Amino acid sequence: MSKITAAITAVGGYVPEYVLTNQILETLVETNDEWITTRTGIKERRILKEDGKGTSYLAINAAKDLLNKSGVDPKEIDLVIVATATPDMKAAATASYTATEIGAINAFAFDLEAACSSFLFGMSVAARYIESGKYKKVLLIGADKNSSMINYKDRATCIIFGDGAGAALFEPNLEGFGLQDELLRSDGNGREFLQATYGGSSYPITPEAIAEGKHYIFQEGKMVFKNAVFNMADITEKILVRNNITNDDIAWLVPHQANKRIIDATASRIDLDESKVMMNIERYGNTTSATLPLLLFDYEKQLKKGDKLIFAAFGGGFTWGSIYLTWAYNS
Ligand code: COA
């Protein structure tokens, strides 16, 4: 019997309507369009404004987009994973609610959190379930409502993050397409440089913490930048060497969208032409768990069966990694 590989067979995406431009940010903090554009590559981000709507709203819409386009019956889905750093609520999994709302009534569901590497690590998890032979349809959604933890008076973070969601369906493939190899890493020493300190179990939320804004995300941008550049480029190069892939063989680099300079450094390390680098940071900013699937959503029509894709991500924690996947279908 042929070996089962885990292939992506459909993608979907969703971003909220409200557009937060660099020009609007100029009215909120001391910054300017030129600084943001040259330092990050970001022009605008999408923000979910409506009260009472959380990450599940984004996830549900991305999943519905995938289901509508592919015609997949949600009752056939075995597992729904929501990769997110901003779950709707504590304790109750966002994935469970999402699965129910999209009609995946026969699925089990859980959240997966690894900051900006959540979707990448989720790809690994989704693939293992498929490769086991026991599960036939795993829906992996990367979704984040980053605006829920942003202080719009902190120019070091509010210029970077946006809200959005993307979804990918994993199914068994007997032709060898799909996930081929992965290198995934973490280093807990990095958590001091990027975190929302209060609101978790170490430091439950207090009125004092709120007054001091300690429930918002904080980052030491320079340290995060340095580590992201080194580790994302390094692990991407390693996965190419391990699989004997040259830059000519690569159809697309699918890099986490945190800062255009980090993406450029990764592409430059492997000497890859920018025409082969997926990029939408200009329009969405850093959507954390949603960047990778939103790239697939935006570029789906340009992807061809057999294309070699190299995914790379770096996130808080620190967490990072690279995945080599071959594309399984023509749109
Ligand atoms: N507008 C204008 N000036 C700003 C600014 C802003 N939004 N943010 C910072 N500055 C200023 C700083 O105060 C500093 O001024 P000084 O030299 O007078 O002290 C100067 O610009 C340089 O600041 P620095 O923090 O060194 O800038 P940077 O080149 O490192 O860029 C980030 C800042 C946040 C864009 C960059 O560090 C970054 O992208 N880091 C990684 C972020 C990331 O990937 N996070 C998610 C993890 S996946």
Side-chain angles (χ1 to χ4, degrees):
M1 210 179 97
S2 314
K3 186 175 165 249
I4 299 171
T5 47
I8 293 177
T9 56
V11 295
Y14 176 78
V15 289
E17 267 174 37
Y18 179 79
V19 181
L20 178 60
T21 61
N22 289 350
Q23 287 70 26
I24 297 172
L25 283 170
E26 285 175 4
T27 69
L28 302 177
V29 289
E30 204 183 318
T31 192
N32 58 75
D33 174 51
E34 203 263 331
W35 193 95
I36 302 173
T37 308
T38 52
R39 295 292 179 111
T40 70
I42 303 167
K43 283 283 186 192
E44 56 190 48
R45 331 93 195 105
R46 299 301 184 99
I47 305 294
L48 180 57
K49 285 275 199 185
E50 290 91 334
D51 286 343
K53 287 185 177 161
T55 291
S56 63
Y57 179 81
L58 304 166
I60 289 163
N61 278 294
K64 282 185 176 167
D65 179 61
L66 181 152
L67 294 171
N68 287 340
K69 277 190 337 202
S70 64
V72 167
D73 179 354
K75 293 194 201 69
E76 289 178 8
I77 295 172
D78 301 301
L79 164 62
V80 176
I81 305 171
V82 173
T84 186
T86 54
D88 281 7
M89 295 167 182
K90 292 206 185 105
T94 302
S96 175
Y97 181 70
T98 301
T100 298
E101 288 297 301
I102 62 169
I105 53 171
N106 297 312
F108 69 112
F110 58 82
D111 295 352
L112 189 156
E113 205 273 300
C116 291
S117 304
S118 300
F119 187 86
L120 189 86
F121 290 10
M123 290 173 69
S124 166
V125 175
R128 294 300 93 75
Y129 276 99
I130 294 294
E131 289 160 2
S132 75
K134 199 165 174 209
Y135 303 93
K136 306 288 181 231
K137 284 184 171 51
V138 175
L139 181 63
L140 173 64
I141 308 167
D144 269 304
K145 184 184 168 186
N146 287 317
S147 59
S148 65
M149 56 177 183
I150 295 293
N151 178 359
Y152 284 94
K153 290 181 179 154
D154 175 12
R155 67 179 184 174
T157 51
C158 73
I159 59 154
I160 290 173
F161 293 97
D163 302 338
L169 185 69
F170 284 76
E171 292 187 90
N173 188 286
L174 299 177
E175 295 177 281
F177 296 115
L179 201 144
Q180 307 294 321
D181 195 16
E182 62 189 42
L183 279 170
L184 310 175
R185 297 282 183 272
S186 63
D187 175 6
N189 292 313
R191 84 168 176 178
E192 66 181 284
F193 304 115
L194 176 59
Q195 57 174 251
T197 311
Y198 277 73
S201 56
S202 297
Y203 302 100
I205 206 88
T206 61
E208 293 76 27
I210 293 176
E212 290 174 37
K214 287 186 171 165
H215 56 305
Y216 291 125
I217 196 163
F218 146 90
Q219 72 167 345
E220 257 183 55
K222 263 220 167 358
M223 274 304 283
V224 178
F225 184 86
K226 233 168 69 183
N227 279 277
V229 165
F230 176 77
N231 288 310
M232 218 164 104
D234 186 62
I235 206 133
T236 304
E237 190 177 35
K238 282 198 170 94
I239 208 161
L240 296 188
V241 170
R242 191 156 98 167
N243 289 279
N244 291 319
I245 299 171
T246 67
N247 49 13
D248 282 342
D249 300 328
I250 300 172
W252 295 99
L253 176 68
V254 192
H256 173 54
Q257 310 280 295
N259 184 316
K260 185 173 182 299
R261 289 186 291 144
I262 300 173
I263 300 167
D264 290 345
T266 304
S268 145
R269 172 78 165 265
I270 58 170
D271 204 14
L272 192 70
D273 192 83
E274 65 177 356
S275 62
K276 290 183 169 189
V277 181
M278 290 191 188
M279 192 107 67
N280 57 16
I281 191 168
E282 187 176 330
R283 288 179 292 135
Y284 304 143
N286 181 352
T287 54
T288 303
S289 314
T291 64
L292 300 182
L294 273 175
L295 286 170
L296 297 180
F297 171 66
D298 278 352
Y299 283 80
E300 184 186 19
K301 290 208 162 50
Q302 297 181 55
L303 294 171
K304 292 189 233 38
K305 192 171 173 176
D307 276 356
K308 290 182 165 64
L309 272 54
I310 302 294
F311 293 76
F314 181 88
F318 292 136
T319 54
W320 69 98
S322 185
I323 284 182
Y324 163 37
L325 173 142
T326 52
W327 199 246
Y329 64 96
N330 296 313
S331 288

